[in-house]
Amino acid sequence: MTFTRRRLWKNLDWGLIVAVALLVTFGVAMIRSSTFDHPNLSDTPGKQIQYAVAGTALFFLVSSIDYRYWQSLSSVLYFVSILLLTGLFISGVVAGGAQRWFDFFGLFFVQPSELAKIGSIIWVSSFFAHRREKLYQFKWVIVSIVHAGIPAALVMAQPNLSSAVMIIIVWASILWASGLRWQHLALLSGTGFVSLPVLWLLMQEYQRDRIANFLNPAADPGAQYNIRQALISIGSGGWFGQGYNQASQVQLRFLKVRHTDFIFSATAAELGLIGALAIMILLTVVIIRILRIATIASEPFGAYLCYGMATMIFAQAFFNIGMNINLLPVIGLPLPFVSYGGSALLTLCTGIGLVQSVALRHRKY
């Protein structure tokens, strides 16, 4: 038994582990610089280190558990997530106009939408793995929409549009990987396009304002303040940056939320194009390694887990970097492994643990 376990752990994807570790380390360093000497954020780097330690423990715990065990619990995880998301409207903490957190005696906060994001990868993967041979029937595609749409709607009602979008993107990626027929793809695309006005009406006013200001910046120049500061920060960095803890836009606090949503701009200001490219290369390595594990998975459920996780990391990075360089509207998605946020980092570490569990068990001993 001991020999088998040793052989099992030899299948760890060390390239993936190193890339994630470098991103987290990079993030802690930039969080420290972005919050340096700030009276209200001085403890932020220390908290992120604590989250990283907890995430490491969670990673090894999840990796040690056979990922197929989660398939048997997918229904339980689904209903627990629904209960937690529903419970937010009863006893959730309201902050910044959103009701997204549970406060446990002031010791720590839990954001169920982050649990729903990683949970969606599990239950959507399980749904399609069980019905892979039935997807030629469009009714199962419809059932999967309802299955993923309920938690997405609850998350959007918090309101948390970005996390709801992530759940839908994960559903779409796994549906595509499971062999979606072209006729069904055309039908879904057409329905989605027609439904855009309904989605617009369901958005909160501030969410509609963000999109409107992105499309027409001249309508409200003041709303573009932080985007302008982000672009100035990126441009001021040049090739090699102004130096760690030296960028004027960051240290003089012209750039807001620089340790969360706009940490990419802060990195470009201090470490230049080289630093920004380093982050993008490391994220690319993480995504490629996860997709590689998907190709060697021993059965569909494991492959779908990897596809879902790779898609979530790619989508979050794409939207975050896109809004930093003003190619996309601001929707409040963090940069994976780099931005400050305990729930987000623990969610990602859990996802990487699931992926490594697939890598460890791609062969039967």
Side-chain angles (χ1 to χ4, degrees):
M1 179 67 73
T2 302
F3 177 70
T4 302
R5 287 178 178 174
R6 287 177 181 175
R7 292 181 62 190
L8 188 69
W9 284 101
K10 285 182 179 180
N11 287 324
L12 274 175
D13 191 318
W14 286 102
L16 176 58
I17 293 175
V18 170
V20 168
L22 288 174
L23 282 169
V24 173
T25 303
F26 209 112
V28 171
M30 287 310 305
I31 290 168
R32 177 189 176 277
S33 178
S34 299
T35 60
F36 184 74
D37 214 21
H38 193 289
N40 300 323
L41 299 174
S42 58
D43 61 341
T44 304
K47 287 183 178 179
Q48 189 73 353
I49 292 173
Q50 293 175 6
Y51 294 137
V53 172
T56 301
L58 193 58
F59 160 76
F60 281 106
L61 175 63
V62 175
S63 298
S64 66
I65 300 172
D66 192 324
Y67 67 92
R68 287 161 289 205
Y69 178 73
W70 300 108
Q71 186 174 13
S72 64
L73 290 178
S74 61
S75 297
V76 176
L77 292 173
Y78 182 80
F79 286 111
V80 168
S81 296
I82 296 297
L83 289 175
L84 288 174
L85 291 171
T86 305
L88 277 175
F89 301 106
I90 301 172
S91 58
V93 175
V94 178
Q99 199 165 3
R100 302 178 185 176
W101 296 270
F102 285 121
D103 182 1
F104 287 89
F105 311 105
L107 298 176
F108 59 93
F109 293 84
V110 173
Q111 191 173 358
S113 60
E114 290 295 331
L115 300 178
K117 281 159 63 175
I118 194 67
S120 68
I121 295 176
I122 296 174
W123 64 61
V124 172
S125 297
S126 177
F127 181 93
F128 287 124
H130 280 306
R131 297 165 180 84
R132 191 183 181 197
E133 303 301 326
K134 300 179 181 179
L135 287 181
Y136 66 91
Q137 302 177 28
F138 190 64
K139 69 175 184 179
W140 290 110
V141 178
I142 297 298
V143 172
S144 74
I145 294 174
V146 176
H147 194 62
I150 292 174
L154 290 172
V155 170
M156 187 171 177
Q158 295 175 2
N160 189 347
L161 177 62
S162 58
S163 293
V165 169
M166 283 299 102
I167 293 174
I168 297 303
I169 288 176
V170 165
W171 162 79
S173 68
I174 299 176
L175 174 60
W176 174 262
S178 63
L180 179 66
R181 297 177 66 185
W182 286 104
Q183 301 93 318
H184 295 168
L185 174 62
L187 185 57
L188 288 175
S189 300
T191 304
F193 182 77
V194 172
S195 302
L196 286 178
V198 177
L199 178 62
W200 178 264
L201 294 174
L202 292 175
M203 289 182 184
Q204 297 293 315
E205 184 177 358
Y206 78 91
Q207 294 169 340
R208 292 195 292 266
D209 288 343
R210 285 181 176 179
I211 297 175
N213 289 329
F214 170 75
L215 296 174
N216 185 18
D220 186 4
Q224 294 292 306
Y225 170 82
N226 215 48
I227 291 296
R228 290 197 299 271
Q229 295 301 324
L231 294 175
I232 292 171
S233 299
I234 294 171
S236 66
W239 280 94
F240 301 103
Q242 299 178 43
Y244 181 73
N245 207 26
Q246 299 296 320
S248 56
Q249 298 299 119
V250 177
Q251 300 308 318
L252 296 178
R253 302 171 191 169
F254 291 112
L255 180 66
K256 307 303 180 183
V257 287
R258 54 197 170 274
H259 63 301
T260 53
D261 293 354
F262 288 91
I263 199 166
F264 182 82
S265 298
T267 301
E270 298 199 345
L271 304 179
L273 179 62
I274 300 301
L277 285 176
I279 289 179
M280 290 190 284
I281 290 171
L282 287 172
L283 285 168
T284 302
V285 170
V286 169
I287 293 167
I288 290 174
R289 299 304 296 181
I290 293 175
L291 292 176
R292 172 192 166 275
I293 293 171
T295 63
I296 63 173
S298 60
E299 41 77 48
F301 178 66
Y304 296 162
L305 286 177
C306 295
Y307 288 133
M309 192 63 199
T311 300
M312 188 173 76
I313 293 173
F314 170 79
Q316 287 193 191
F318 177 79
F319 281 112
N320 180 274
I321 295 173
M323 73 183 189
N324 271 256
I325 59 178
N326 200 28
L327 289 181
L328 294 171
V330 176
I331 61 173
L333 275 172
L335 188 60
F337 304 107
V338 181
S339 293
Y340 172 76
S343 296
L345 184 57
L346 293 178
T347 296
L348 290 168
C349 288
T350 301
I352 296 299
L354 286 171
V355 170
Q356 289 286 11
S357 181
V358 175
L360 290 174
R361 296 166 180 85
H362 74 278
R363 295 177 180 175
K364 294 181 180 180
Y365 292 103

